[in-house]
Amino acid sequence: MLRKRMKNQPAWRRISWLAAECLVVFTGVYLAFLLDGYRTVQQNEQKQQQIYSALYTIFDGMSSDLDNANSFQRDFADPFLVAYENGEMPRPRPLPFAGSGFSTDSWSAMLQAGGINLLDVSFILRIEEFYGGARFIDKQLGNYNRLSNQILLP
């Protein structure tokens, strides 16, 4: 029915009708792409916030461990050093937190799950630098604990 009516219309009217249809289709497709882009940005921001909150939880747990390590200085190292400075030969004790098996599995999992695409490169490098230092310290403390158990405290 519509086709018969359009054949009876002048050419300029058919062309304007075709242009209007193309405009409506183009506008709809363009808006769909905009909406999809907006949704993708929102999902990326949500994932980024989840990663930041997970890192906050991990580092919050580490801060209590660092508080325990700080108490080590007060309860273990300071009395040892004072006794040593007074000419005594105190026996070393095993470190209470040495060789804890520090793990970066959660950080690696976050990066592999797409976090590497969401986070700023400088932020990733700072976290990697922190974890590298923590791994080094954990390794050194584990070596000290092993040596003290095998050589100093038998």
Side-chain angles (χ1 to χ4, degrees), residues 34-52:
L34 282 178
L35 181 63
D36 185 53
Y38 175 76
R39 191 173 346 135
T40 302
V41 167
Q42 292 298 324
Q43 288 173 347
N44 287 344
E45 287 177 1
Q46 183 181 15
K47 287 178 187 177
Q48 191 176 24
Q49 285 300 330
Q50 288 174 343
I51 290 171
Y52 285 141

Side-chain angles (χ1 to χ4, degrees), residues 77-90:
D78 288 343
F80 180 86
L81 292 174
V82 168
Y84 185 75
E85 287 174 359
N86 291 335
E88 300 173 22
M89 294 299 288

Side-chain angles (χ1 to χ4, degrees), residues 4 10 14 32 61 71 73 76 94 105 111 117 138 144 153:
K4 283 184 182 181
R14 284 184 288 187
S71 69
Q73 173 74 28
F76 179 78
D105 292 341
L111 288 180
N117 297 327
D138 187 58
Y144 171 81
L153 300 174

Side-chain angles (χ1 to χ4, degrees), residues 94-105:
L95 298 176
F97 52 84
S100 62
F102 183 77
S103 174
T104 60
D105 292 341

Side-chain angles (χ1 to χ4, degrees), residues 1-10 13-15 17-18:
M1 169 102 177
L2 183 63
R3 183 172 270 181
K4 283 184 182 181
R5 263 193 350 201
M6 287 304 288
K7 282 188 178 182
N8 296 337
Q9 299 293 329
R13 193 155 214 183
R14 284 184 288 187
I15 291 174
W17 181 260
L18 181 64

Side-chain angles (χ1 to χ4, degrees), residues 49-114:
Q49 285 300 330
Q50 288 174 343
I51 290 171
Y52 285 141
S53 65
L55 286 173
Y56 177 80
T57 303
I58 290 169
F59 289 141
D60 191 41
M62 283 183 184
S63 71
S64 65
D65 293 342
L66 291 175
D67 290 340
N68 293 340
N70 194 18
S71 69
F72 162 77
Q73 173 74 28
R74 186 179 59 249
D75 300 336
F76 179 78
D78 288 343
F80 180 86
L81 292 174
V82 168
Y84 185 75
E85 287 174 359
N86 291 335
E88 300 173 22
M89 294 299 288
R91 287 184 59 104
R93 295 179 292 175
L95 298 176
F97 52 84
S100 62
F102 183 77
S103 174
T104 60
D105 292 341
S106 58
W107 171 244
S108 299
M110 282 185 232
L111 288 180
Q112 290 174 358

